[in-house]
Amino acid sequence: MTDPQTDFAVKFALNAFTEVFKGAYHGALNWAQAKNQEHDFFNKKAQLYGEKMKTRYNKIKILGMTEPRPLRSIFVRTNILEKITDRTRIDLATLENQIDFANRRFGKPKESKSGLEVAQQLEKYIVLGKPGAGKTTYLKRIVLHSLEGDFTYQRLPIFISLKEYSDSGKSLFDFIVNEFDICSLPDAEPFVTNLLKIGKAQILLDALDEVQVEHEDRVIQEIKDLSDKYDKCQYIMTCRIAAFNAHFEQFTDVEIDDFNDGQIQEFIHNWFQVEPELAKECWEKLESMQTVKELASTPILLTLLCILYEDSLDFPQSRAEIYMEAIDTMLKKWDSSRRIKRKGESTYETLSFTKRKTLLARIAFQTFSQGEFFIPQRRLEKLIKDYIQNLPHIKESSLEVESREVLTSMIAQHGLIVPRAKGIYSFSHLSIQELFTAHFLVSSPQSEQLIKDAIENYVSNPQWREVFLLIAGMLEEADGFIMNLREYIDIYAHEYGLIDFLSEANNLLKNSSIIKGKSRERIIAGLQNVLTESINRSYELLRINARTLSLDINYNRSHYLNLTLSFIIALEENQFDALDQKIDLVVRRALTLVDNYILEQDHAFKNDISFILEIPTYLQLNLLLLDCLLNSGAYISNQTRQNVLDELLLPPPTNIPIT
């Protein structure tokens, strides 16, 4: 039985396309009169054209997919920006104020229109976007929209791969004529000529950036000539944003934006539509992996994530493994899967895959370690220059030009560094900058010392948390890293006077009827759930309460130890429920317990309580250690893992050397 939703091309071809064919052939009168004697000639040709277009463009098979999928079944709305990102004038300070670390976003959501809406409004436009943004998919969907009759003014869609056309040696007009061989139109030239004259063609020109340099001038001129001569037709062209120069004065420039959360969820639902429960599980798993979910805003990487999940019904435990798959996709697989070989004599083209990763890793570490997430062009060019100046064929006199060309190639070919405003760039995702930062530390010849220095300088910085998890997952053996991290935590406890607290805390934990019998791993894992949602809110309340009480009443140190532990116990009683509606209740109860406890005391305050303000950081460091042990995909010996778990939250040895 035919599915009416998927048999859309035949239905449309039998009406609107038939009229387009008849109208186009009217100009070639003698030929049309002869052919009209054949029974239902135009109807048959229109139907055949529609079916062939559907067969060609209603499918997608990329990144090692075992079989093609119907494009129509997985496609979601394309977001189109009318303001081009790299032409927007925004200063660095404004961009930095817009970064949202909590949701791992580089800026505020932008206003966009749907791809279909833009196609209804504009007659000549160029769709710009970073690699993997969905530019070709957008043009294929335009074909399907035409076949479905979604346009107010109906035209015949003609899809032209600019790479295939430029490599063919044919003129653009002849290449278009040749395309009509797909529906066996004899002597199609008079038909195409009149089709273009009456403005009934929708010319879809895909991937200007894939045209080889030696053909570029000819291709650009022929597109301009054709669009000027037959200006009643619609022309839609795509190009990678960094590879585009403003050659087309009559065309409007627009840009494809990233997916939002709703579109990511819709795409996953469409991908697993025959198994809705699997779609639900995939989305929920992705929601729980915020750093991985970042990647899903780029269509090609969302496709990769769906393929990874489909293969094993889960994502790899190691986030580093997922990120490296993404890097390989953008640096190698995406171009090679479409048989695109970018040739040239520029410095970037001569760099191997490994050296390209090394360059990106240097840029990532140099910027991330300085807290730079938005990078001015001059700064980027300087970092590139510092790397390429040691390459054997580079002349000092050409370094400035070479570094600028390398930057342009990096942006155009891989999309791992993207424009955020005019002259300002960033990594495409925060997780990509973190991944390359970790890669720099792990792959360096001085790796061991660099990682030790990073622990000492950055481990208390929440923005470095993901980097350390990635380091654990990327090391071949992570025992040494884990022991260095634990040693730092022990030193931290000494430096900030937490030893007495930890001793008394462990005595209380041993004697607590609530916590007795539960492992330290269970206690910290529970704290982790709460801290993820409430660290800023609940611990700030704890700090404020501690400060206020210390000003009003003098109590001894142990009371404040029990203050903090009462908070922990209250969390344990609530079974570490981190849901928003429970957090306030948990915090209020903890503080009530504290207040009641303090009111019962009458001892004089004897010791400084400033140490209590370091407890949240100490707990966070232990949570990081626990995550590195259990949730990073790290290879760690069973003995090291068990030893660290057994000693978690215990007072450290007294002979730790304090730096």
Side-chain angles (χ1 to χ4, degrees), residues 246-309:
H247 301 293
F248 301 91
E249 297 84 359
Q250 304 302 316
F251 283 65
T252 301
D253 299 343
V254 298
E255 181 181 347
I256 289 186
D257 197 15
D258 290 339
F259 281 163
N260 57 38
D261 280 3
Q263 290 168 309
I264 294 170
Q265 188 173 10
E266 182 185 355
F267 185 96
I268 292 172
H269 172 78
N270 293 347
W271 187 276
F272 297 105
Q273 59 186 285
V274 296
E275 298 179 274
E277 193 58 35
L278 194 60
K280 181 173 179 288
E281 291 170 3
C282 178
W283 168 249
E284 289 175 350
K285 182 73 172 181
L286 196 61
E287 279 259 81
S288 70
M289 303 171 70
Q290 192 68 21
T291 56
V292 175
K293 182 184 166 191
E294 272 184 83
L295 303 179
S297 63
T298 301
I300 186 61
L301 296 181
L302 176 55
T303 303
L304 172 66
L305 291 173
C306 287
I307 292 171
L308 288 175
Y309 195 86

Side-chain angles (χ1 to χ4, degrees), residues 8-9 12 17 50 53-54 142-149 154 157:
F8 54 92
F12 178 72
F17 270 19
M53 294 294 280
K54 173 188 171 183
I142 291 294
V143 171
L144 302 183
H145 279 307
S146 291
L147 295 175
E148 292 170 324
Q154 195 58 52

